[in-house]
Amino acid sequence: MTFCSRSTDFEVHRNWLAITHTLPPSQWYFADLSQWTLDYPPFFAYFEWLLSQFAQYADPAMLLVDNLQYDSWQTVYFQRATVIITELVLIFSLQQFVKSSPVNSKPLAHAAALSILLSPGLLIIDHIHFQYNGFLYGILVLSFVSARKQTSLLQCGILFAGLLCLKHIYLYLAPAYFVFLLRTYCLRQKTILRPRIGNVVKLGVGLAAIFGAAFGPFFYWDQLDQLLARLFPFSRGLCHAYWAPNLWAMYSFVDRVLIYFVSRLGMPINEAAVNKVTRGLVGDTSFAVLPEISPKMTFILTLGFQMIGLVKLFLQPTWESFIGAVTLCSYASFLFGWHVHEKAILLVIVPFSLIALKDRRYLGAFRPLAVAGHVSLFPLLFTAAEFPIKVLYTVLFKRKPVQYVSPPTVDDGTEVWVIENTDEIFTSFEAYTQRMEFYNQKRFICEITGHSSLTFFDALMSEMDASEEVRDAFPDPLREPILRKVQFSTISRIDSLVDHIFDEFKNDFFPGEHVIVIMIHERLNGILREKTKFPDIFTPRGDMLRKAFARYFVTLTDREDHEALVDEEHIVRDRKSFTKQMLRSFLKNSVSREAWTGAPWLVKEKIANEYRINTEVPMHLRYEHQVAQRKTALNTKKGEHDGTLLSFFSTNVGRLPELKPKSHKSKSLQQDAAKARHEQFLEYQRALSGNPMFQFDNDGPQTTQDQLIQFINQHPDYPHTAAKGMPKQPPPPTIKYPIEDLELPPSRELDLHRPHFKMLPYEHVGPVLETWNTLNVFCEVFQLDSFTFDDYVDALVYQAENGYCELLVEIHCALLKKLVNDENDVDGQVQVNLPHVEEESEEDEVSPATSSLPTPEPENKPARTTRSSLAKSEAAEVKMTQDEKLHRGAEIDQSVRGSDWISRLRKRDFRNGKWIVIIVGLLNLLSLKPRLQKACVEILIDLAPLDMEATEETAISEYATLDLIHRVSILQILCTLSLETRAIRGYMEDCAIQMTEHRKEKIEQQRARKVAMEELRLLHEERKILQPEDTSPVPELDELEDLKMEDPEEDEHEQEGDVVVDSEDEEPVKGRSLRRANDRAAERRRKIEEEKERKEKAEAEKAKKPTKQARQFEKVLKKIEEAKDKIRDCEEEIAVIDNDLREADCPRTKVLGKDRFWNRYYWMERNAMPYAGLPDSSTASAGYANGCIWVQGPDDLERQGFIELSDAENAQYRRAFDMSVPERKMREEGHTHLYFATQWGYYDSPEELDQLITWLDVRGVREIKLRKELTAQREKIVTYMEKRKQYLSEDKKLETVEPTTRISTRTKTYVDQTGHRCLAWRNNTALEELGHIHSEPNRARKQQQAKTRKKAKEEDEGRQTRASNRAPKLPTRQGGRYNF
């Protein structure tokens, strides 16, 4: 658009660049050197001044004030580039919108963001006409994003204030912002009568700063009146130059129409207004007949219609309601505002786009609004070069073809009505008239020409005429072959179909076609008379001998009585006779397809009959077959992956292997087999009657069975033909494993069952595991040392009335401290949502930081229950419970006047068991929640019984004897509340960021390993080439060590030794002395030694001067070792990163897998914690964290859907496997069973783990995954199982050797650690980071700081970390601690 558009706004913004650059700010709003005066707020003037600082380097002439209508190419390029660059603000804001959207609605957010970014309105207004709307709408969307969270509402208001100072058209949206910020930021959520003074002050100061920066200088120069007159030019008239399609455009149109009627009736007319209509410049709008419209009237109408959305926003101040109110406010302003621009429709479309996909009703209203709004911008595109854009947006808009009414069944004599153009028949006049009214509407488009606003009959005639033109222009010889090729094609897109057909036919020619023959020196026109195609020729082995080719006889029209025989290389078409555009038009005119996915292209019936093309759609391409096939695939997939018993509970039983009885043949089967063999022998007789080995006698006796057997034995190569009438049975269908586990046949071995697991002698094992896992995963947030599961259970059952268990006390205190801040930290804000109490003080109110949205989403209520009735029922239940008075929790909480559990918790008053009193107060308040009421009341009945005094000592003494179930329930409630706090949420967000960084590092290391392996492979190839011949062969490429080369001198030495021995055994010659014989032997030895020394010298000299090939070989060997080292380093690094990813994945508790009976298996060390706990914890010597494989029973849905079947399903299963599913479960699980998800068992020995892996069947979809996980983790699981066993055995030895004693102190009573393992635990983490443990007051910090520094310094050098030091990255558990 750079080369074709010079709009008025283009000159306006160029003039503003000149004004702000040349004149001082005090003259900006007084300059009137042209008609395009500065009429935008000051921030936009500052923005233009900033752009002018760069514009002077592009073309200084554009900055001259009197240089009107200046449009050099440098000016055009610069201004267009600034629009594109500033639109990056819109891209950033849309990215933030998608990022802030909930996970389940991110696809919708992506679609909404793309619809705004690719909006035709922004293309037309910004990039063709010329404005900076993309930059401004980016700021608007950023303010919308800030409105999502309570913590960024102030930012939302400040951004919108800045936007108003950039362009005052956004003032239309100000009422929605005012109501939303007032309701969510300035007033309290629970009562609107108590404003938040602090928030009001902050918002007021922020807005004052923004508007002061914008309008302050002009207020100082006493220019506000002039500035406001420029911003709000009411003298410009009611309607803009390009009328916006609103109420006043219709009003003006009606006034113009009434002029002609009123003048004939002799009624008075305002003659001055007859020829006066506003053109967007200075001048009021006047109406000749209708009453005049004033700005005050438009303001009242606009505000009145805006109130509809503002009232709902005030009552329901959610983010969706806010965006809806913004949309309605902008829509009301567009319809009823004064001097509305046509561009203002984007104020409606942009915010509406963000919520249009959330509800079908919104989408139904959004689509016509978007289409009409963008079409209303077309007057801005008035040049010829811009016309194609309007065509693309309207003419090529997808419209569905009209479906004709199917013919009804009509009896003879029945009166009918027929539409001749469509051959539609109607049996009722009403249906006929309705159809005719539909056809006579001017809403149809010609599919070929694109002409719109036609009646159906006009569009039909236009299509028929255009189709004739298309057919006449398309080569006739190509029509039939192309249509036959297209018939039943399943290529979905018309563009792809055109490309495919064009590529196939562009080099193929057909008889009757006009072609051009390429001769040596000339090109001759001709008509193709005959065509011959020769196929490919292949050898018996499949090799191609000759490719397919064609020969053409062409009658030359340029030379009479001449023909030419040519091949494909010497014949072409005229380029204009066969093009993609012509082919596309021809196909659109000749073929059609239905709307369902996978529908084939079909030649229209009339054309198919003309060319005798088969129109019967094959069965596999019909819609019914496609639907049935998809259902079958879906059921198969569901059966394989979802675990449904497809073979037993559906009609498709062909997948089960056929169950046959033991092999025994009945008498009839034996007779049939004998008869078949006899017929086979007679067949052979008839075929080989001339065989001299056998005389065939027609009149002789019948061949006996013995003769048949003898013949078969003598002719083993004779092919045994099947007997007539006995077709061969098809083989059974092959089963593709894995399949549903319970579809596998049960094992017939009675002793093959799952190994027996152990069970804890307590109930509620699930909550115990849940709380232990939460405390260890987030131990750094809670500032707790990690602890083993066995120590945790030991602490929960610890019943010493006067004893002190630091593990139990520190866990409770650490959890409580996360619920309420310290009194010196943000005024002791409460970090969790608590039940509302009428007498709640201002200090006890929930902190705004704890809410991520302006108002929390309401909980799902039961069906057929209104809010009022549900609230009344809950209140009645709570009141009834309070009236019954089952405990004295409230009295204990208020036992000390002026102090409740929140004030105690703010002061961190945990000494002498006071944390138990805090828990009593917290549980008493949480009992107002219907979901927690039962659990809290049961605990309070034991902690604050009615038959005891309501004192703190009562709660403390009762907790000492509290059972494990209630203790775990308390911890479960505290853990659930702590997960809502800011600290935990921040920790999880940091872990998510950390996991992203780790994944990037892992990808880099994997790439490096791949490169190193490829380098190693190439080096091995090079080594093969350079390897000397006297060395051993090169080993396989995947081996890391070379084979050792043998020493060739050893064999030589052995041979020489043999010679010496043989010489010594020789008998001496007669006449010669023994001495002479010895001399000969010595001579031989001397010569051998000399030869050996000579060879050694030669080898040494050779070694000193290695050959070039040997040097290259040694160099390659060194490179191979270096490549192997790189691969090992990458693999070690990947292993460390995998461990980091595992420890950072804190939001989820992963399951190893499920077995055939839907039992779940867990290895708790796998879930976001070090395998052995923190290496510097007080119990790190144990060397493990949990050390068990835990088994959980099936949940209710799995049990009812797959195990506890109906009688009919059990009967069908019994027919297949001679047992029901529950019977199979009892048999294959052994003596230990789990029936419910609340039941747990565990394995704690390597032998049991190996037996479990052996028991799992890899043919099942669930057990193959479980076995894979267990096999991959087996070594680590076994390691920590053995460490657990060693830890528990050492503890038992200590119990038998050392007696238990008690040691008293002034503050606590310590029990000897040998009786309970949990007593050895110390919270070193809190001591290092806080200077004291959680249960001690803050005053102890100074007393222990010196000891803490000394201890930390001594232990820092010897402390083990859980990962090697690698490249710099985010702090993790391996590299440091988080600070909270």
Side-chain angles (χ1 to χ4, degrees):
M1 294 303 104
T2 298
F3 302 97
C4 62
S5 180
R6 303 289 192 277
S7 65
T8 55
D9 279 342
F10 183 88
E11 170 61 20
V12 166
H13 286 276
R14 188 214 61 79
N15 190 45
W16 291 356
L17 285 175
I19 290 175
T20 55
H21 184 80
T22 306
L23 303 178
S26 59
Q27 299 181 20
W28 286 354
Y29 290 96
F30 285 93
D32 54 357
L33 301 177
S34 70
Q35 59 181 343
W36 313 120
T37 56
L38 180 59
D39 56 2
Y40 272 26
F43 273 6
F44 199 88
Y46 302 158
F47 172 71
E48 292 281 2
W49 175 86
L50 180 63
L51 293 181
S52 68
Q53 306 305 310
F54 299 96
Q56 59 184 337
Y57 299 104
D59 187 358
M62 78 172 77
L63 301 178
L64 300 178
V65 178
D66 55 351
N67 201 359
L68 301 179
Q69 302 299 328
Y70 183 75
D71 57 353
S72 66
W73 289 116
Q74 292 83 354
T75 303
V76 173
Y77 287 141
F78 175 78
Q79 292 195 240
R80 296 292 183 186
T82 57
V83 174
I84 297 174
I85 294 173
T86 55
E87 205 164 65
L88 294 176
V89 177
L90 177 62
I91 297 175
F92 172 76
S93 64
L94 292 175
Q95 181 187 12
Q96 295 300 312
F97 167 71
V98 174
K99 188 177 180 181
S100 64
S101 300
V103 177
N104 57 350
S105 62
K106 279 191 181 296
L108 300 180
H110 276 288
L114 286 175
S115 70
I116 295 176
L117 183 62
L118 305 177
S119 170
L122 291 179
L123 173 66
I124 294 172
I125 298 176
D126 284 8
H127 300 281
I128 299 178
H129 185 68
F130 192 86
Q131 278 191 2
Y132 292 93
N133 289 284
F135 156 61
L136 299 173
Y137 281 108
I139 300 176
L140 179 65
V141 174
L142 273 181
S143 69
F144 290 159
V145 174
S146 301
R148 280 185 182 271
K149 295 184 178 181
Q150 182 77 21
T151 54
S152 57
L153 287 177
L154 178 61
Q155 179 182 347
C156 169
I158 292 177
L159 283 172
F160 182 70
L163 184 62
L164 287 179
C165 294
L166 281 166
K167 192 170 183 179
H168 54 297
I169 193 174
Y170 295 98
L171 196 61
Y172 294 150
L173 316 181
Y177 275 87
F178 173 78
V179 173
F180 181 71
L181 293 176
L182 174 68
R183 187 67 179 84
T184 59
Y185 190 70
C186 298
L187 301 180
R188 300 184 182 275
Q189 297 179 7
K190 298 177 182 179
T191 174
I192 62 175
L193 300 178
R194 298 172 59 189
R196 296 172 176 168
I197 304 301
N199 290 352
V200 173
V201 172
K202 287 188 287 186
L203 182 60
V205 171
L207 297 182
I210 295 295
F211 288 110
F215 296 93
F218 302 94
F219 174 78
Y220 176 77
W221 295 322
D222 196 17
Q223 296 180 2
L224 284 184
D225 293 338
Q226 174 65 18
L227 193 152
L228 293 177
R230 285 286 182 90
L231 297 183
F232 303 102
F234 291 107
S235 59
R236 288 191 178 181
L238 178 64
C239 297
H240 186 249
Y242 295 115
W243 289 8
N246 60 2
L247 177 67
W248 308 126
M250 299 173 62
Y251 190 86
S252 301
F253 173 76
V254 172
D255 181 75
R256 285 297 169 189
V257 172
L258 290 178
I259 291 176
Y260 298 96
F261 294 97
V262 173
S263 60
R264 296 180 181 180
L265 297 177
M267 298 179 63
I269 301 176
N270 184 3
E271 296 294 342
V274 172
N275 298 320
K276 181 179 180 182
V277 180
T278 179
R279 301 304 301 167
L281 305 178
V282 178
D284 294 333
T285 303
S286 299
F287 296 100
V289 179
L290 296 179
E292 298 292 339
I293 303 297
S294 64
K296 184 180 298 185
M297 295 172 62
T298 61
F299 176 78
I300 294 174
L301 281 174
T302 300
L303 186 60
F305 281 92
Q306 286 181 345
M307 290 300 297
I308 300 173
L310 297 178
V311 171
K312 180 182 178 181
L313 178 62
F314 187 83
L315 298 177
Q316 298 179 4
T318 62
W319 187 81
E320 287 78 10
S321 299
F322 169 57
I323 302 300
V326 169
T327 304
L328 292 176
C329 285
S330 58
Y331 208 175
S333 303
F334 181 81
L335 293 177
F336 307 105
W338 178 271
H339 195 75
V340 178
H341 290 225
E342 74 287 345
K343 313 175 192 70
I345 191 62
L346 292 184
L347 283 174
V348 188
I349 296 176
V350 170
F352 202 1
S353 301
L354 303 180
I355 59 174
L357 297 177
K358 292 184 177 294
D359 194 317
R360 284 184 176 273
R361 296 170 298 177
Y362 294 168
L363 186 60
F366 175 77
R367 277 191 281 188
L369 171 67
V371 173
H374 290 140
V375 170
S376 69
L377 299 175
F378 282 178
L380 298 176
L381 309 179
F382 52 85
T383 64
E386 296 160 350
F387 180 76
I389 296 177
K390 294 189 284 187
V391 173
L392 287 175
Y393 191 74
T394 55
V395 173
L396 300 182
F397 187 75
K398 183 69 174 178
R399 300 293 295 269
K400 294 183 179 180
V402 176
Q403 300 293 331
Y404 292 159
V405 177
S406 57
T409 303
V410 180
D411 299 332
D412 294 339
T414 304
E415 187 178 9
V416 296
W417 289 263
V418 181
I419 300 178
E420 296 180 357
N421 301 78
T422 61
D423 292 333
E424 293 175 297
I425 301 174
F426 301 90
T427 57
S428 66
F429 184 72
E430 294 182 358
Y432 170 77
T433 55
Q434 290 178 0
R435 192 67 172 177
M436 288 298 295
E437 289 179 0
F438 170 70
Y439 283 155
N440 288 324
Q441 295 178 7
K442 292 188 176 183
R443 51 180 296 186
F444 297 94
I445 297 176
C446 176
E447 186 178 10
I448 299 176
T449 62
H451 296 164
S452 59
S453 299
L454 304 176
T455 65
F456 172 78
F457 304 110
D458 294 339
L460 183 62
M461 291 299 297
S462 176
E463 288 184 1
M464 293 175 62
D465 295 340
S467 64
E468 290 296 330
E469 295 177 3
V470 171
R471 290 191 61 189
D472 293 341
F474 197 77
D476 184 69
L478 288 176
R479 297 176 190 175
E480 182 177 353
I482 287 179
L483 291 177
R484 291 188 180 276
K485 185 68 177 179
V486 173
Q487 182 75 324
F488 307 139
S489 174
T490 56
I491 299 175
S492 59
R493 293 179 56 85
I494 184 67
D495 296 334
S496 302
L497 180 65
V498 169
D499 293 340
H500 175 71
I501 298 298
F502 184 81
D503 293 338
E504 185 167 345
F505 283 85
K506 66 181 179 181
N507 295 322
D508 200 1
F509 306 90
F510 298 88
E513 191 175 355
H514 290 268
V515 295
I516 300 175
V517 177
I518 303 175
M519 308 299 288
I520 299 177
H521 300 291
E522 57 183 339
R523 298 165 65 93
L524 303 176
N525 296 321
I527 299 176
L528 186 61
R529 182 173 65 84
E530 189 176 346
K531 168 185 176 182
T532 305
K533 294 199 70 173
F534 299 90
D536 296 324
I537 297 180
F538 297 90
T539 63
R541 297 179 55 185
D543 299 331
M544 179 179 290
L545 288 178
R546 186 192 68 190
K547 292 184 178 180
F549 64 96
R551 291 292 182 266
Y552 304 96
F553 273 105
V554 181
T555 301
L556 301 179
T557 57
D558 295 341
R559 297 180 182 180
E560 296 183 1
D561 301 330
H562 281 75
E563 289 186 345
L565 178 63
V566 295
D567 56 9
E568 299 97 328
E569 296 180 358
H570 295 82
I571 184 172
V572 294
R573 288 190 186 92
D574 186 1
R575 292 183 179 180
K576 298 180 180 180
S577 64
F578 183 63
T579 63
K580 284 188 177 182
Q581 185 62 36
M582 294 178 61
L583 179 61
R584 180 187 179 92
S585 301
F586 174 72
L587 291 180
K588 289 186 67 176
N589 182 48
S590 304
V591 300
S592 62
R593 65 190 296 265
E594 297 180 2
W596 51 275
T597 304
W601 290 96
L602 302 176
V603 179
K604 294 180 179 180
E605 186 176 1
K606 182 179 179 181
I607 301 176
N609 294 334
E610 179 182 351
Y611 293 104
R612 298 180 181 180
I613 299 175
N614 182 22
T615 58
E616 184 178 357
V617 181
M619 181 60 67
H620 69 282
L621 294 179
R622 296 182 181 178
Y623 179 73
E624 310 84 48
H625 182 270
Q626 297 288 335
V627 172
Q629 192 174 19
R630 281 196 289 268
K631 288 183 178 179
T632 303
L634 181 62
N635 292 336
T636 303
K637 182 177 180 181
K638 184 178 180 182
E640 291 180 357
H641 300 288
D642 295 346
T644 55
L645 301 182
L646 183 64
S647 299
F648 306 113
F649 312 138
S650 65
T651 58
N652 183 17
V653 297
R655 294 180 65 249
L656 268 180
E658 186 178 358
L659 302 178
K660 298 181 179 180
K662 294 183 178 180
S663 177
H664 61 277
K665 295 183 178 179
S666 63
K667 185 175 181 180
S668 61
L669 292 177
Q670 295 176 359
Q671 292 175 353
D672 293 340
K675 183 179 180 180
R677 286 195 296 270
H678 179 69
E679 291 181 357
Q680 177 185 11
F681 180 60
L682 293 180
E683 184 72 20
Y684 179 77
Q685 287 179 334
R686 289 189 290 270
L688 302 175
S689 58
N691 193 335
M693 299 176 57
F694 180 79
Q695 298 295 331
F696 184 72
D697 187 5
N698 293 330
D699 299 331
Q702 188 178 14
T703 305
T704 63
Q705 180 75 14
D706 295 336
Q707 288 178 316
L708 177 62
I709 296 175
Q710 180 182 1
F711 174 79
I712 293 176
N713 292 334
Q714 292 176 356
H715 300 81
D717 297 334
Y718 169 66
H720 296 188
T721 59
K724 295 181 179 180
M726 295 284 293
K728 185 179 179 181
Q729 293 292 335
T734 303
I735 302 176
K736 296 182 180 180
Y737 297 106
I739 61 175
E740 162 59 33
D741 299 74
L742 292 177
E743 289 185 10
L744 294 170
S747 175
R748 299 299 175 183
E749 300 179 14
L750 298 178
D751 57 343
L752 185 59
H753 56 77
R754 187 183 64 188
H756 304 155
F757 51 72
K758 303 177 182 63
M759 300 182 72
L760 289 178
Y762 318 109
E763 298 180 2
H764 293 71
V765 178
V768 175
L769 282 169
E770 176 188 344
T771 53
W772 176 84
N773 184 70
T774 302
L775 292 169
N776 277 269
V777 168
F778 300 105
C779 62
E780 294 178 345
V781 185
F782 295 128
Q783 295 172 316
L784 286 172
D785 264 23
S786 61
F787 44 87
T788 66
F789 180 76
D790 299 286
D791 291 350
Y792 181 61
V793 175
D794 190 27
L796 291 177
V797 300
Y798 182 67
Q799 295 287 346
E801 183 174 355
N802 298 321
Y804 175 77
C805 178
E806 184 173 330
L807 175 58
L808 194 63
V809 175
E810 286 294 295
I811 288 174
H812 288 83
C813 294
L815 289 170
L816 289 171
K817 289 172 70 173
K818 295 302 174 185
L819 307 184
V820 180
N821 289 346
D822 186 88
E823 59 183 353
N824 297 322
D825 183 9
V826 199
D827 298 330
Q829 287 183 347
V830 179
Q831 295 294 320
V832 294
N833 290 319
L834 298 174
H836 174 63
V837 181
E838 294 181 358
E839 295 80 13
E840 182 185 11
S841 63
E842 182 176 353
E843 296 177 351
D844 297 340
E845 188 177 1
V846 178
S847 169
T850 63
S851 176
S852 61
L853 293 175
T855 54
E857 294 292 334
E859 298 179 357
N860 293 330
K861 305 300 182 184
R864 298 182 181 180
T865 304
T866 62
R867 295 183 179 178
S868 59
S869 61
L870 183 60
K872 291 178 181 178
S873 62
E874 291 180 356
E877 291 178 3
V878 174
K879 183 177 181 181
M880 181 182 65
T881 305
Q882 292 176 347
D883 293 341
E884 293 176 358
K885 196 174 183 179
L886 301 175
H887 56 82
R888 308 184 71 177
E891 299 176 32
I892 292 179
D893 184 34
Q894 301 292 337
S895 58
V896 178
R897 179 174 297 179
S899 178
D900 59 357
W901 71 272
I902 294 181
S903 61
R904 293 190 183 96
L905 186 51
R906 285 172 176 160
K907 296 177 181 178
R908 303 298 189 246
D909 187 9
F910 300 138
R911 293 175 299 175
N912 302 324
K914 296 293 183 61
W915 56 272
I916 301 175
V917 181
I918 296 175
I919 289 177
V920 170
L922 174 62
L923 295 178
N924 180 63
L925 181 59
L926 293 177
S927 64
L928 298 178
K929 286 188 175 183
R931 294 183 180 180
L932 298 176
Q933 182 181 7
K934 181 179 178 182
C936 294
V937 169
E938 289 179 355
I939 299 171
L940 290 173
I941 289 174
D942 289 345
L943 286 180
L946 293 174
D947 56 351
M948 300 183 68
E949 295 183 3
T951 61
E952 298 176 350
E953 290 75 13
T954 298
I956 297 172
S957 62
E958 290 300 312
Y959 183 86
T961 59
L962 202 63
D963 59 6
L964 178 138
I965 296 176
H966 287 162
R967 289 186 176 184
V968 172
S969 298
I970 294 174
L971 290 172
Q972 192 175 19
I973 293 172
L974 294 179
C975 288
T976 304
L977 291 175
S978 65
L979 294 178
E980 303 175 9
T981 60
R982 196 178 200 174
I984 298 295
R985 292 205 307 266
Y987 180 83
M988 289 192 289
E989 291 175 0
D990 292 341
C991 286
I993 297 173
Q994 184 179 342
M995 290 180 68
T996 302
E997 296 296 327
H998 289 332
R999 291 190 183 100
K1000 293 179 181 178
E1001 294 178 13
K1002 183 177 179 180
I1003 292 173
E1004 293 176 358
Q1005 294 297 330
Q1006 288 175 337
R1007 290 174 179 170
R1009 181 181 63 178
K1010 184 177 180 180
V1011 171
M1013 293 182 69
E1014 179 64 19
E1015 181 183 355
L1016 180 63
R1017 187 186 66 80
L1018 296 176
L1019 289 173
H1020 273 296
E1021 296 292 340
E1022 186 178 357
R1023 177 184 176 182
K1024 281 184 178 180
I1025 299 173
L1026 297 177
Q1027 187 172 12
E1029 297 180 356
D1030 56 347
T1031 57
S1032 61
V1034 179
E1036 297 295 333
L1037 295 180
D1038 56 345
E1039 295 180 0
L1040 296 179
E1041 296 186 1
D1042 299 329
L1043 299 175
K1044 184 178 180 181
M1045 297 173 56
E1046 296 180 355
D1047 187 3
E1049 295 183 358
E1050 293 184 0
D1051 296 335
E1052 182 183 357
H1053 181 69
E1054 291 177 359
Q1055 293 175 2
E1056 293 174 356
D1058 293 339
V1059 173
V1060 173
V1061 174
D1062 291 342
S1063 64
E1064 291 178 351
D1065 291 341
E1066 293 178 357
E1067 294 183 1
V1069 181
K1070 290 183 180 181
R1072 296 186 180 180
S1073 63
L1074 180 62
R1075 179 178 179 181
R1076 189 171 179 180
N1078 292 336
D1079 291 340
R1080 288 197 301 270
E1083 184 66 16
R1084 283 196 299 270
R1085 293 192 193 99
R1086 184 180 61 79
K1087 290 182 180 180
I1088 291 173
E1089 290 177 358
E1090 290 178 356
E1091 183 67 21
K1092 183 178 179 181
E1093 290 179 359
R1094 185 183 64 79
K1095 289 183 178 181
E1096 289 179 353
K1097 289 180 180 180
E1099 291 293 336
E1101 292 178 359
K1102 185 178 180 180
K1104 291 180 181 179
K1105 298 180 180 180
T1107 62
K1108 182 178 180 180
Q1109 181 177 354
R1111 290 195 299 269
Q1112 292 178 352
F1113 181 71
E1114 294 295 331
K1115 188 176 181 181
V1116 169
L1117 291 180
K1118 292 181 180 179
K1119 290 183 178 180
I1120 288 176
E1121 294 300 324
E1122 293 176 357
K1124 292 177 181 177
D1125 293 338
K1126 288 181 182 179
I1127 294 174
R1128 281 191 288 267
D1129 293 341
C1130 291
E1131 290 176 348
E1132 292 174 359
E1133 193 71 15
I1134 290 172
V1136 173
I1137 295 174
D1138 286 336
N1139 188 61
D1140 293 344
L1141 285 171
R1142 180 189 62 81
E1143 293 188 5
D1145 191 8
C1146 59
R1148 297 179 296 173
T1149 299
K1150 292 185 178 180
V1151 61
L1152 288 172
K1154 304 174 185 177
D1155 63 12
R1156 66 194 69 166
F1157 301 111
W1158 294 90
N1159 299 308
R1160 289 175 170 82
Y1161 292 77
Y1162 295 88
W1163 184 38
M1164 292 300 175
E1165 284 92 332
R1166 189 188 185 196
N1167 299 317
M1169 67 178 73
Y1171 292 117
L1174 293 176
D1176 52 355
S1177 64
S1178 58
T1179 56
S1181 59
Y1184 78 100
N1186 193 291
C1188 299
I1189 294 293
W1190 290 91
V1191 188
Q1192 183 187 18
D1195 59 27
D1196 295 339
L1197 292 177
E1198 294 165 347
R1199 186 180 67 258
Q1200 296 171 5
F1202 299 95
I1203 299 176
E1204 297 176 357
L1205 308 177
S1206 63
D1207 295 339
E1209 294 168 341
N1210 267 327
Q1212 190 172 0
Y1213 196 92
R1214 188 183 296 277
R1215 286 195 298 269
F1217 297 133
D1218 297 332
M1219 64 180 70
S1220 64
V1221 178
E1223 292 172 353
R1224 181 174 180 177
K1225 178 179 174 67
M1226 294 292 294
R1227 175 182 173 182
E1228 296 185 357
E1229 285 189 342
H1231 301 298
T1232 52
H1233 311 280
L1234 300 173
Y1235 298 98
F1236 305 98
T1238 56
Q1239 296 176 336
W1240 292 76
Y1242 66 94
Y1243 296 107
D1244 61 350
S1245 67
E1247 296 77 15
E1248 294 171 343
L1249 178 60
D1250 293 336
Q1251 293 174 12
L1252 175 63
I1253 294 175
T1254 304
W1255 177 74
L1256 297 174
D1257 195 337
V1258 295
R1259 297 177 298 171
V1261 292
R1262 291 187 296 278
E1263 293 193 355
I1264 187 175
K1265 298 177 183 178
L1266 176 58
R1267 181 167 180 172
K1268 181 180 179 181
E1269 288 292 335
L1270 289 174
T1271 304
Q1273 305 287 345
R1274 182 191 175 281
E1275 294 184 5
K1276 294 179 180 178
I1277 296 175
V1278 168
T1279 299
Y1280 296 106
M1281 281 183 172
E1282 293 175 347
K1283 289 185 178 181
R1284 176 179 180 271
K1285 183 178 180 181
Q1286 180 182 359
Y1287 176 70
L1288 297 181
S1289 62
E1290 291 177 355
D1291 189 69
K1292 291 181 179 178
K1293 292 179 182 178
L1294 292 175
E1295 290 181 4
T1296 57
V1297 174
E1298 299 182 9
T1300 59
T1301 58
R1302 293 179 181 269
I1303 306 173
S1304 299
T1305 65
R1306 292 195 308 171
T1307 59
K1308 307 180 186 68
T1309 301
Y1310 289 93
V1311 183
D1312 182 61
Q1313 301 175 3
T1314 57
H1316 296 273
R1317 295 183 303 271
C1318 62
L1319 301 180
W1321 183 86
R1322 295 289 180 270
N1323 194 3
N1324 294 332
T1325 299
L1327 287 173
E1328 293 175 7
E1329 298 182 6
L1330 302 176
H1332 59 87
I1333 60 178
H1334 292 297
S1335 57
E1336 293 181 353
N1338 294 341
R1339 61 183 178 84
R1341 182 190 299 269
K1342 295 182 180 181
Q1343 299 175 1
Q1344 299 195 17
Q1345 277 182 348
K1347 296 182 180 180
T1348 302
R1349 294 195 192 97
K1350 183 177 180 181
K1351 181 178 179 181
K1353 185 176 181 180
E1354 293 174 353
E1355 294 180 355
D1356 193 38
E1357 297 178 355
R1359 185 176 300 164
Q1360 296 180 352
T1361 59
R1362 282 166 284 161
S1364 60
N1365 293 328
R1366 299 181 287 112
K1369 58 180 183 179
L1370 294 175
T1372 65
R1373 299 185 179 191
Q1374 292 79 11
R1377 294 185 179 277
Y1378 291 94
N1379 294 322
F1380 293 94

